[in-house]
Amino acid sequence: MRGKSSGTEIPPLNTTEPIRRTALNRVFAVVYTCAIFALLYHHVETLTIRSRNPLVLVVSFCLLLSDVILALMWATTQVFRMRPIHRREFPGNLQKVVRPREFPALDVFICTADPFKEPPLSVVNTALSVMAYDYPTEKLSVYVSDDGGSALTLFAFMEAAKFAAHWLPFCRKFNLLERNPHAYFSSSSSTSTHACCSEIQMMYESMRVKVEHVVESGKVGDENITGDREREAFSKWTDDFTRHEHPTVIQVLLETSKDRDITGHFMPNLVYISREKSKTSPHRFKAGALNVLLRVSAIMTNAPMVLTLDCDMSSNDPQTPLRVLCYISDPATRPNLSFVQFPQRFRGLSKNDIYASEFKRLFLINFLGMDGLKGPNYVGTGAFFCRRSLFGSPSTLISPEIPQLHPNHVVDKDKPIRESPAMLSLAHHVAGCNYENQTKWGSKMGIRYGSLVEDYYTGYLLHCEGWRSIFCNPHRPAFYGDAPTTLADLLNQHKRWAIGLLEVAFSRYSPLTFGIRTMGLMGLAYAHYSFWPIWSIPIMVYAFLPQLALASGISIFPKISEPGFLLYLFLFLGAYGQDCLDFLLEGGTFRKWWNDQRIWLIRGLSCFLFGTLEYLLKSLGISAFGFNVTSKVVDDEQGKIYSQEMLDFGVPSPMFVTLAVAAIVNFFSFSCGFLQMICGSDDNEGLPLQMLLAGFIMLNCWPVYEAMVLRTDKGKMPTTVTIVAAFLAWTLYAAAFHFSFSK
């Protein structure tokens, strides 16, 4: 932002710089498009003119279908390469433009759902890290949603509120960058920089031991309750109280106007909320929890700026809100701005990111491209919303059913929350399980319902309404979270994503129709994500059919001497080469890229396939979706396997079966093809492409072979999975040989 005020130039708050390789990307897209049309022509020619072999006809048709899907998916990826940009913020200039007392208030939402999969101490560390932001404390409120309805989580936050009175002054005094207590005390700076660190560390350890003891025992005993207010809070957990059936629990643990830290500074608001649950009322998973937080926070503070965080996604930079203000305070970027999205980053990743948990393409490369259009999509955490954007389009404000929920409603801050029975009563009311009946919540207001991926769906609809978003990717990561460290957790998480994305893809608001009609190119970007799971179709086809034909001695790809051979090589090397180049230019390494593309293949053979099948079954009314919380708990054996960069197959899963079948089929097909080449088959010139494909998949499946044959640790492939996979592979070969010999 630049301008003039009283003859003085206003310093910039942010800058935008186009990425230089954009022109080359566009030239390559034209050349690659011509190659795709040539390949599709080759398939049509094979089907209609060249082949009379029924097996080759079937395989050629499947390859045509697969290549059409690959071409469409490739076309949608080009949207990310049309106008990618880099942004930079200057928080040091912020106070030259706006005074701290004029900063907008900030409400932080943290969601947790299971104290045993999401340890309360981890959630506490997340809350403490944002409570310690470099932001006026009287403008900061933290709301914790406990969808597990656990007294263990409430106890942990009662202890955290006491510890915060010491932790926040400590962070201010030494100007710490790392304000997650666990991460700070685990770092070398905690022992080498501050002499008085040992005292605060002892306080933290005391809190940690107390909380972990209560979690291990599974209950909050009388010996852990120290006051009447705490006793009254825990009295709500009666024998009839279950995680699926219980009344609303709202506990104001810290209040800005009442509570001070040990140095006399006011503390941020800290509020615990467990919304009412009933087995007869839908609770809408995380989307429902966030909407309850929106309503309860509107009653109590109604900050114009809202940050949503996963329970493990703690702050890594205390100046993150100031970076957001560099966009909200800039007249050039403020109009129609809905949210500022930060990338997800993860602590403790293996050296070469064996599970591709960094999501460099999803959370960085693609976001740079979307930022040049209407902005990145919402990823469920690390997003600062303008509250107004959740209540209708920029031009049409949708008023809530009661005035206290209106985004422009001004809360009376003179009266403390704890001393306002009317405010607390209304907060309990709007957190009720039946409150949303006959309202626009989830359809026109708040976080949107209708998909298991409520974050993607909400961001998509906000962009359709005319809002914009901004991708903020500072050099120091704003947040750090915990990534899955077992393959089963990773695939289950991605299967849930696959189901949710298909719900959007085939809804009335499908990005291919509604999205493109309302947003143009941006609709294609969203279509790329919503149709993600159909990657499983071409991956399954190319993982099995050419290999079965190879084992039967049938050539289905062009010969070395034919132009089609070079066409296939160009398409394969061009796509993989461009993907690798993007990865390396954005700070990745070749080993990380290799693991990233391997996980892409694994997803196509497992969670994308199973997610698509589960979506189809649900669409036919045969099954129902569930929501499984990804575990944040890692045992020692799992941690050891992950640190050694070995895939963990230790949990028997149907998704491992298709992966093992593909590994076996490609191994034996490559062996058969190799023998045919040695023995001098009549059609040797037509086999190299099939050999290269089988060899490439074998190389990616090396960890599967290790898990089935070589490993003896806890992460080896379960014997039952190997036996079932071998039987299915034999069945496929028998069917292929029968079909080829009966032609």
Side-chain angles (χ1 to χ4, degrees), residues 236-422:
K236 298 171 185 176
W237 273 264
T238 62
D239 293 338
D240 297 329
F241 192 112
T242 68
R243 63 175 300 165
H244 301 295
E245 193 93 27
H246 63 79
T248 298
V249 179
I250 298 178
Q251 196 70 24
V252 180
L253 302 174
L254 290 175
E255 192 168 356
T256 295
S257 61
K258 299 282 288 184
D259 297 297
R260 297 173 182 260
D261 62 30
I262 58 171
T263 62
H265 284 82
F266 285 115
M267 305 272 281
N269 292 315
L270 177 61
V271 183
Y272 168 92
I273 302 168
S274 183
R275 58 183 170 139
E276 182 185 13
K277 288 283 190 72
S278 173
K279 294 179 181 178
T280 60
S281 300
H283 57 83
R284 311 290 188 179
F285 307 114
K286 183 181 175 182
L290 285 171
N291 280 336
V292 167
L293 290 178
L294 270 172
R295 294 194 294 272
V296 173
S297 66
I299 300 297
M300 295 183 174
T301 50
N302 205 32
M305 198 161 61
V306 171
L307 165 63
T308 65
L309 286 178
D310 284 344
C311 64
D312 63 315
M313 195 64 60
S314 63
S315 168
N316 185 60
D317 182 359
Q319 291 205 333
T320 296
L322 304 183
R323 294 187 179 278
V324 175
L325 291 186
C326 287
Y327 297 106
I328 292 179
S329 303
D330 187 345
T333 56
R334 182 170 57 236
N336 298 349
L337 177 60
S338 174
F339 61 92
V340 177
Q341 178 67 63
F342 289 81
Q344 290 198 45
R345 300 290 181 86
F346 301 96
R347 283 190 179 88
L349 294 180
S350 63
K351 180 181 178 181
N352 295 300
D353 193 14
I354 189 69
Y355 291 131
S357 297
E358 198 174 40
F359 294 109
K360 186 171 285 290
R361 175 155 295 283
L362 176 65
F363 293 147
L364 179 58
I365 298 173
N366 288 355
F367 276 14
L368 295 174
M370 296 178 79
D371 205 19
L373 300 173
K374 289 176 71 73
N377 62 291
Y378 171 43
V379 299
T381 185
F384 287 79
F385 280 91
C386 295
R387 187 184 288 262
R388 162 64 184 89
S389 68
L390 298 172
F391 293 86
S393 69
S395 59
T396 306
L397 172 65
I398 297 178
S399 297
E401 52 285 351
I402 58 175
Q404 292 88 341
L405 300 181
H406 196 285
N408 296 329
H409 169 68
V410 179
V411 177
D412 182 6
K413 298 181 180 179
D414 294 333
K415 193 170 185 179
I417 300 173
R418 296 193 192 110
E419 299 175 8
S420 178

Side-chain angles (χ1 to χ4, degrees), residues 53 55 59 544-554 665 669 728-743:
N53 185 326
L55 179 60
V59 173
F544 287 101
L545 291 189
Q547 290 77 354
L548 294 174
L550 175 62
S552 303
I554 299 175
V665 166
S669 294
L728 291 176
W730 176 83
T731 303
L732 288 174
Y733 274 118
F737 280 119
H738 173 76
F739 194 78
S740 62
F741 285 117
S742 62
K743 59 187 177 181

Side-chain angles (χ1 to χ4, degrees), residues 100-101 105 135-141 256 266-269 301 413:
R101 67 171 180 269
Y135 208 73
T137 55
E138 70 276 7
K139 295 178 178 288
L140 182 60
S141 302
T256 295
F266 285 115
M267 305 272 281
N269 292 315
T301 50
K413 298 181 180 179

Side-chain angles (χ1 to χ4, degrees), residues 68-86:
V68 168
I69 293 174
L70 288 173
L72 291 175
M73 295 301 288
W74 177 85
T76 60
T77 62
Q78 299 316 297
V79 177
F80 305 118
R81 297 186 170 108
M82 288 298 100
R83 192 176 177 272
I85 60 173
H86 282 297

